[in-house]
């Protein structure tokens, strides 16, 4: 029971799905260029590196960002 609560509370175990820039662009209804501008300026969280060559955003991090920013700016 305690382990189940810890599992549910951990944001990394809630959703390990990684969003590509194309998926994030579609989700936010913004261009890929806007996504990179927002990332560079600190509006969006930084992506993570996958397999040393692919960048993506954790779905749980973006979900939290959307909650905090009421869907973006």
């Amino acid at each position: 029971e305690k382990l189940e609560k810890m599992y549910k509370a951990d944001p990394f175990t809630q959703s390990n799905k990684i969003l590509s820039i194309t998926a994030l662009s579609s989700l936010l209804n913004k261009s890929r260029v806007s996504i990179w501008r927002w990332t560079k300026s600190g509006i969006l969280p930084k992506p993570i590196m996958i397999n040393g060559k692919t960048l993506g955003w954790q779905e749980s991090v973006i979900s939290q960002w959307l909650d905090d920013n009421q869907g973006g700016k």
Side-chain angles (χ1 to χ4, degrees):
E1 181 177 83
K2 190 174 184 180
L3 187 59
E4 287 176 6
K5 287 180 183 179
M6 286 174 54
Y7 181 79
K8 289 178 182 176
D10 183 358
F12 292 104
T13 57
Q14 286 179 359
S15 176
N16 285 330
K17 184 175 179 182
I18 302 299
L19 299 174
S20 67
I21 188 163
T22 303
L24 187 57
S25 175
S26 178
L27 177 69
L28 299 177
N29 198 27
K30 296 291 178 188
S31 71
R32 292 167 54 109
V33 172
S34 293
I35 299 298
W36 287 121
R37 284 183 187 144
W38 285 12
T39 300
K40 187 175 180 179
S41 67
I43 295 171
L44 271 175
K46 291 188 180 217
I48 60 171
M49 183 73 70
I50 305 160
N51 295 331
K53 61 180 179 176
T54 305
L55 290 173
W57 288 260
Q58 282 186 296
E59 185 179 50
S60 59
V61 172
I62 294 300
S63 179
Q64 182 63 52
W65 179 83
L66 287 169
D67 289 345
D68 294 346
N69 291 284
Q70 293 89 32
K73 295 181 181 179

